[in-house]
Amino acid sequence: EVRVAIIGSRRYENKKKIKDFIFKLKQQYGDDTIVVSGGCKTGADKYAKKYALELGLQYEEYPPFHEVHNLYCVLPESRYDKDFSMRNFFVRNKIIASVCDYIVAFIPHGVEANGTKSVLEYSKKLNKKRIIIN
């Protein structure tokens, strides 16, 4: 199986690019593809979830720990529903970088996508393959 993080800006709205990318993943790796997302309700994360599920791929979600555990969360429920902390985002970003085989980041031109950059930095340290799509 191959675990691919599909991450990116909350302001990313090019649905077609994300859908096409996930479709290509399915063609390349078939049902062994696992799409991983940070679970944000907008932007790249939202479309990663939508199209992974629509195209029948496996889907895993790693929201920050102050959010509520859901059906797609891989980590134990006890880790969620904590007090809000910015640190939760960095811990989550590190986990995504470490569990995936490669990371695909969708960032529109001119957008500061700090969370996405943090995942890319962690994944660079772990020598993971990274792809950035505008």
Side-chain angles (χ1 to χ4, degrees), residues 53-123:
L53 296 174
E54 268 182 29
L55 293 165
L57 295 176
Q58 298 173 71
Y59 174 76
E60 296 178 355
E61 202 163 276
Y62 294 85
F65 297 133
H66 50 261
E67 292 189 7
V68 180
H69 188 271
N70 70 57
L71 176 67
Y72 302 105
C73 290
V74 186
L75 300 174
E77 200 166 342
S78 58
R79 295 198 65 176
Y80 290 90
D81 234 352
K82 305 291 187 227
D83 290 336
F84 178 86
S85 162
M86 282 309 286
R87 188 173 170 274
N88 294 343
F89 290 104
F90 293 104
V91 172
R92 182 272 305 271
N93 295 344
K94 200 175 248 178
I95 293 168
I96 288 176
S98 63
V99 300
C100 289
D101 299 300
Y102 65 97
I103 288 88
V104 183
F106 288 87
I107 308 173
H109 287 293
V111 169
E112 277 292 304
N114 292 324
T116 304
K117 284 183 185 148
S118 134
V119 178
L120 291 169
E121 280 163 23
Y122 288 130
S123 57

Side-chain angles (χ1 to χ4, degrees), residues 2-50:
V2 61
R3 244 185 200 81
V4 182
I6 298 202
I7 59 169
S9 165
R10 293 186 169 109
R11 306 223 308 260
Y12 195 86
E13 284 297 326
N14 191 336
K15 300 187 282 221
K16 186 173 177 347
K17 272 193 186 175
I18 295 179
K19 186 175 188 175
D20 289 348
F21 190 88
I22 293 174
F23 184 74
K24 283 185 194 128
L25 280 179
K26 183 174 181 168
Q27 284 181 314
Q28 195 171 350
Y29 301 108
D31 295 336
D32 287 339
T33 315
I34 302 168
V35 172
V36 170
S37 147
C40 185
K41 305 288 181 273
T42 58
D45 288 16
K46 173 176 135 181
Y47 299 121
K49 177 178 189 172
K50 175 177 166 55

